Amino acid sequence: MSEQNIKRIKLMRFWLFGTFVLVFAAITGYIGLFTNRDWWMAIKAGFPIWGITGGLCILWYIGYYWWLKRKPAK
């Protein structure tokens, strides 16, 4: 893989992790503040959303990595 593609995959990893962290914070804050639950209930209630977001981020990363590794057409 070229150096430029390595930089692209690192940048994608950074943004996907950042997306997951933002979703985690937003969902936890929303559940915790607006439903009058304690923090542990907020974490347990938000777990399915985090799981979906984390799974999609991982799939997107694997797909992008695979797409960058492919050999260009001649």
Side-chain angles (χ1 to χ4, degrees):
M1 195 179 320
S2 70
E3 187 174 325
Q4 186 174 4
N5 284 349
I6 292 171
K7 288 180 183 179
R8 287 179 180 170
I9 200 72
K10 286 182 180 180
L11 185 63
M12 180 62 76
R13 188 180 327 154
F14 170 79
W15 282 109
L16 288 174
F17 180 73
T19 299
F20 180 76
V21 169
L22 286 173
V23 168
F24 179 86
I27 295 301
T28 305
Y30 179 79
I31 293 170
L33 290 175
F34 297 114
T35 61
N36 294 326
R37 295 183 180 183
D38 62 346
W39 64 274
W40 184 244
M41 288 300 292
I43 288 176
K44 287 194 309 189
F47 188 72
I49 298 169
W50 306 329
I52 292 169
T53 303
L56 289 174
C57 286
I58 290 169
L59 287 175
W60 189 268
Y61 177 78
I62 291 170
Y64 189 67
Y65 184 82
W66 175 77
W67 186 73
L68 285 178
K69 268 189 90 167
R70 72 185 178 6
K71 292 183 179 179
K74 292 185 178 180

